[in-house]
Amino acid sequence: LLDDIVLTHSLFLPTERFLQQLHQQYPGGPRGATRGSGLRRKRAVLAVLLHFLETYKGLLQEEESAGKVIKELYLLIMKDTSLYHELEDEIIKLHQLVETVELKVADETPPPNKQVKPLFRHFRRIDSCLQTRVAFRGSDEIFCRVYMPDHSYVTIRSRLSASVQDILASVTEKLQYSEEQSARGDALILVTMASSGEKAVLQPSEECVFTTLGINSHLFACTRDTFDSLVPLPEEIQVVPGDTEIHRAEPEDVANHLTAFHWELFRCIHELEFVDYVFHGERGRRETANLELLLQRCSEVQHWVGTELLLCEGLGKRAHLLKKLIKIAAICKQNQDMLSFYAIVIGLNNAAISRLRLTWEKLPGKFKNLFRKFENLTDPCRNHKTYREVLAKMKPPLIPFVPLILKDLTFLHEGSKTLLDGLVNVEKLHCIAEKVRTVRKYRSRPLC
């Protein structure tokens, strides 16, 4: 029950108010209460606070007001150390946790400069893929490219949670060093453009736009006069068929690299990002950057599979590549990387790939049968019954098909109310927490 409350309290009570309630409960019972009842109350509050800190950890750095309440409560508890020796073990653990989440109480020295991270997909791809994946927070600073109508670009340094207005301010500052743009810098608008040519103007108040861009989308800064003339980058339009590295790579190597990379992305997602993504989408994406990146990656793998096949010239080579991709999917399934497995199978089920009749006919019968089994496993009939049965038999570590977890949470959210007659629907919160805890279970052991 305690875990349910900590995982889902934000649905009915903001974090700061939740902690303030704890703060009010700590001093003890009503006047005249016995020492025993006061001790029990303090121990109960400590239990909730310890569990809260263990669950939230680094996320508290994004909530300054919540951190302030915790510091006040911490100082209050430390004053009681001499009076309540029975709480000594809990207080030692509390002190360690406060240090772990960087809520330093005594030392008010300014924090060291944070390392700037190239955001996955939106800067040089090779730089991003070679570095170890670490969890992103809204206050982290990143490098990102913003393109101009002539396809030149400026590289800006910005917070991940920056608003469109902040991004435009950085771009304008950069452009002041060029000759032509300084006079009209204040008229700039920020636009997202996909490789298909679809474009949309972002509102100045929107936040975390870096993680919500599509896999083939880029940021453009332009004036309203030049908006209609915007076109996608040349490399996204002029696609030249030919062999790529996938033809020379071994299926085992590709599958193992996919699994290792996706595990790092999955490991960076905080449990609470699943709750925030489904229930607090209207607040922006400040809390869900890591989850957004994994979902983008899933889409990217799907499109990569189709693109590689369609770029391949020659029927024999195309059939060989199709066979290799099915083999990669099989190894990913064996690695218990269901995210990569699903992405590859969905990519091969793309209408453009399904129409390659001669290629599919040239595929050996063994691989045709194997792919049919994969299609049955990813079949959404009866609420993905086959996939859920296979997943239930797997032991951690494993990477689930994350979009299905979000679908389940959305169903729980829309299927029942959070508050009934002003009272919290505890059954709904329990079901949500149970679903979120499956993520904890999947990551309970490290990937070898």
Short mmCIF file of all heavy atoms in Angstrom, two decimals, residues 11-12 23 42 108 146 149 214 251 253 308 313 316 322 333 342 344 360 377 393 408 420 431 443:
data_model
loop_
_atom_site.label_atom_id
_atom_site.label_comp_id
_atom_site.label_asym_id
_atom_site.label_seq_id
_atom_site.Cartn_x
_atom_site.Cartn_y
_atom_site.Cartn_z
N LEU A 11 -1.30 11.80 -8.83
CA LEU A 11 -2.58 11.81 -9.56
C LEU A 11 -3.66 12.54 -8.77
O LEU A 11 -4.62 13.05 -9.34
CB LEU A 11 -3.05 10.38 -9.87
CG LEU A 11 -2.06 9.49 -10.63
CD1 LEU A 11 -2.71 8.18 -10.99
CD2 LEU A 11 -1.57 10.18 -11.88
N PHE A 12 -3.54 12.55 -7.44
CA PHE A 12 -4.57 13.21 -6.64
C PHE A 12 -4.01 14.25 -5.68
O PHE A 12 -4.77 15.00 -5.06
CB PHE A 12 -5.38 12.17 -5.84
CG PHE A 12 -4.54 11.36 -4.88
CD1 PHE A 12 -4.38 11.75 -3.57
CD2 PHE A 12 -3.91 10.19 -5.29
CE1 PHE A 12 -3.61 11.03 -2.68
CE2 PHE A 12 -3.14 9.44 -4.41
CZ PHE A 12 -2.99 9.86 -3.11
N HIS A 23 5.10 16.67 6.75
CA HIS A 23 5.75 17.64 7.64
C HIS A 23 4.84 17.96 8.82
O HIS A 23 5.28 18.02 9.98
CB HIS A 23 6.06 18.91 6.83
CG HIS A 23 6.97 19.86 7.53
ND1 HIS A 23 6.58 20.57 8.65
CD2 HIS A 23 8.25 20.23 7.27
CE1 HIS A 23 7.59 21.34 9.05
NE2 HIS A 23 8.61 21.16 8.22
N LYS A 42 6.00 9.26 14.52
CA LYS A 42 7.25 9.66 13.90
C LYS A 42 7.83 8.53 13.05
O LYS A 42 8.34 8.77 11.94
CB LYS A 42 8.26 10.07 14.98
CG LYS A 42 7.90 11.35 15.71
CD LYS A 42 8.82 11.60 16.89
CE LYS A 42 8.32 12.77 17.73
NZ LYS A 42 8.51 14.05 17.03
N GLU A 108 26.06 24.67 1.44
CA GLU A 108 25.30 25.44 0.46
C GLU A 108 26.18 25.95 -0.68
O GLU A 108 25.87 26.94 -1.33
CB GLU A 108 24.62 26.64 1.14
CG GLU A 108 23.55 26.25 2.14
CD GLU A 108 22.37 25.54 1.47
OE1 GLU A 108 22.16 25.73 0.27
OE2 GLU A 108 21.68 24.78 2.18
N VAL A 146 19.71 23.87 -34.83
CA VAL A 146 18.51 24.53 -35.35
C VAL A 146 18.85 25.03 -36.75
O VAL A 146 19.83 25.79 -36.91
CB VAL A 146 18.05 25.69 -34.44
CG1 VAL A 146 16.81 26.37 -35.02
CG2 VAL A 146 17.77 25.20 -33.03
N PRO A 149 16.34 28.54 -43.20
CA PRO A 149 15.70 28.22 -44.48
C PRO A 149 16.68 27.79 -45.57
O PRO A 149 16.33 26.99 -46.45
CB PRO A 149 15.00 29.54 -44.85
CG PRO A 149 14.70 30.18 -43.54
CD PRO A 149 15.87 29.85 -42.67
N GLY A 214 9.68 14.17 -34.07
CA GLY A 214 9.62 12.86 -34.72
C GLY A 214 10.99 12.40 -35.16
O GLY A 214 11.95 13.18 -35.18
N PRO A 251 24.34 -11.06 -38.30
CA PRO A 251 23.07 -10.87 -37.57
C PRO A 251 23.24 -10.85 -36.06
O PRO A 251 22.59 -10.07 -35.37
CB PRO A 251 22.23 -12.08 -38.02
CG PRO A 251 22.81 -12.50 -39.33
CD PRO A 251 24.27 -12.18 -39.25
N ASP A 253 25.83 -9.84 -34.32
CA ASP A 253 26.41 -8.57 -33.88
C ASP A 253 25.36 -7.47 -33.86
O ASP A 253 25.28 -6.68 -32.91
CB ASP A 253 27.57 -8.17 -34.81
CG ASP A 253 28.77 -9.09 -34.68
OD1 ASP A 253 28.87 -9.75 -33.62
OD2 ASP A 253 29.59 -9.16 -35.62
N GLU A 308 16.09 0.11 -45.30
CA GLU A 308 17.19 -0.74 -45.77
C GLU A 308 16.74 -1.68 -46.89
O GLU A 308 17.45 -1.86 -47.88
CB GLU A 308 17.76 -1.56 -44.60
CG GLU A 308 18.53 -0.75 -43.56
CD GLU A 308 19.87 -0.25 -44.09
OE1 GLU A 308 20.25 -0.58 -45.22
OE2 GLU A 308 20.53 0.51 -43.35
N GLU A 313 19.23 -2.80 -54.00
CA GLU A 313 19.03 -3.09 -55.42
C GLU A 313 19.30 -4.56 -55.70
O GLU A 313 20.22 -5.14 -55.15
CB GLU A 313 19.96 -2.22 -56.27
CG GLU A 313 19.61 -0.74 -56.24
CD GLU A 313 20.47 0.06 -57.19
OE1 GLU A 313 21.71 0.00 -57.04
OE2 GLU A 313 19.92 0.73 -58.07
N GLY A 316 18.08 -10.76 -55.53
CA GLY A 316 18.82 -11.70 -54.68
C GLY A 316 19.32 -11.05 -53.40
O GLY A 316 19.17 -11.60 -52.31
N LEU A 322 16.33 -9.59 -46.35
CA LEU A 322 15.09 -9.93 -45.65
C LEU A 322 15.32 -11.11 -44.71
O LEU A 322 14.86 -11.10 -43.54
CB LEU A 322 13.99 -10.25 -46.66
CG LEU A 322 12.63 -10.67 -46.11
CD1 LEU A 322 12.05 -9.59 -45.19
CD2 LEU A 322 11.66 -10.98 -47.24
N LYS A 333 14.68 -11.74 -29.89
CA LYS A 333 13.71 -12.46 -29.05
C LYS A 333 14.43 -13.39 -28.09
O LYS A 333 14.07 -13.50 -26.91
CB LYS A 333 12.75 -13.25 -29.94
CG LYS A 333 11.70 -14.05 -29.17
CD LYS A 333 10.72 -14.70 -30.13
CE LYS A 333 9.73 -15.59 -29.37
NZ LYS A 333 10.34 -16.83 -28.87
N TYR A 342 9.79 -6.55 -31.67
CA TYR A 342 8.53 -5.96 -32.15
C TYR A 342 8.79 -4.93 -33.25
O TYR A 342 8.10 -4.90 -34.28
CB TYR A 342 7.81 -5.26 -30.99
CG TYR A 342 6.51 -5.92 -30.59
CD1 TYR A 342 6.48 -6.90 -29.62
CD2 TYR A 342 5.30 -5.54 -31.16
CE1 TYR A 342 5.29 -7.51 -29.22
CE2 TYR A 342 4.10 -6.13 -30.78
CZ TYR A 342 4.11 -7.12 -29.81
OH TYR A 342 2.93 -7.71 -29.43
N ILE A 344 11.26 -4.65 -35.38
CA ILE A 344 11.67 -5.26 -36.66
C ILE A 344 10.49 -5.93 -37.35
O ILE A 344 10.28 -5.77 -38.56
CB ILE A 344 12.82 -6.28 -36.42
CG1 ILE A 344 14.08 -5.54 -35.96
CG2 ILE A 344 13.11 -7.07 -37.69
CD1 ILE A 344 15.20 -6.44 -35.48
N TRP A 360 9.56 -11.84 -51.25
CA TRP A 360 9.02 -12.79 -50.27
C TRP A 360 8.98 -14.21 -50.84
O TRP A 360 9.21 -15.19 -50.12
CB TRP A 360 7.63 -12.37 -49.83
CG TRP A 360 7.63 -11.21 -48.88
CD1 TRP A 360 7.44 -9.91 -49.18
CD2 TRP A 360 7.89 -11.25 -47.46
NE1 TRP A 360 7.54 -9.11 -48.07
CE2 TRP A 360 7.81 -9.92 -46.98
CE3 TRP A 360 8.16 -12.28 -46.57
CZ2 TRP A 360 8.01 -9.59 -45.65
CZ3 TRP A 360 8.36 -11.95 -45.23
CH2 TRP A 360 8.28 -10.62 -44.78
N LEU A 377 2.94 -13.92 -32.81
CA LEU A 377 3.35 -13.45 -31.49
C LEU A 377 3.02 -11.96 -31.31
O LEU A 377 2.65 -11.53 -30.21
CB LEU A 377 4.86 -13.67 -31.30
CG LEU A 377 5.50 -13.21 -30.00
CD1 LEU A 377 4.76 -13.77 -28.79
CD2 LEU A 377 6.97 -13.60 -29.97
N LYS A 393 6.55 -15.84 -19.13
CA LYS A 393 7.48 -16.96 -18.91
C LYS A 393 8.94 -16.51 -18.85
O LYS A 393 9.81 -17.28 -18.47
CB LYS A 393 7.32 -17.99 -20.04
CG LYS A 393 5.96 -18.68 -20.05
CD LYS A 393 5.83 -19.59 -21.26
CE LYS A 393 4.44 -20.23 -21.32
NZ LYS A 393 4.25 -21.04 -22.54
N ASP A 408 -1.78 -0.04 -21.67
CA ASP A 408 -2.47 -0.58 -20.49
C ASP A 408 -2.76 0.51 -19.47
O ASP A 408 -3.84 0.56 -18.87
CB ASP A 408 -1.62 -1.68 -19.84
CG ASP A 408 -1.52 -2.93 -20.71
OD1 ASP A 408 -2.37 -3.09 -21.61
OD2 ASP A 408 -0.61 -3.74 -20.49
N LEU A 420 -13.79 9.51 -6.61
CA LEU A 420 -15.21 9.15 -6.59
C LEU A 420 -15.85 9.83 -5.38
O LEU A 420 -15.47 9.53 -4.23
CB LEU A 420 -15.39 7.63 -6.50
CG LEU A 420 -14.87 6.82 -7.70
CD1 LEU A 420 -14.90 5.33 -7.38
CD2 LEU A 420 -15.72 7.10 -8.93
N CYS A 431 -3.99 -0.70 -9.24
CA CYS A 431 -3.77 -1.31 -10.57
C CYS A 431 -2.67 -0.59 -11.33
O CYS A 431 -1.84 -1.22 -12.00
CB CYS A 431 -5.07 -1.28 -11.38
SG CYS A 431 -6.36 -2.35 -10.73
N ARG A 443 13.79 -4.95 -14.71
CA ARG A 443 15.15 -4.42 -14.56
C ARG A 443 15.81 -4.85 -13.26
O ARG A 443 16.82 -4.28 -12.86
CB ARG A 443 15.11 -2.89 -14.62
CG ARG A 443 14.53 -2.36 -15.90
CD ARG A 443 14.66 -0.85 -16.00
NE ARG A 443 13.95 -0.15 -14.95
CZ ARG A 443 13.63 1.14 -15.01
NH1 ARG A 443 13.97 1.84 -16.08
NH2 ARG A 443 13.00 1.74 -14.03
#
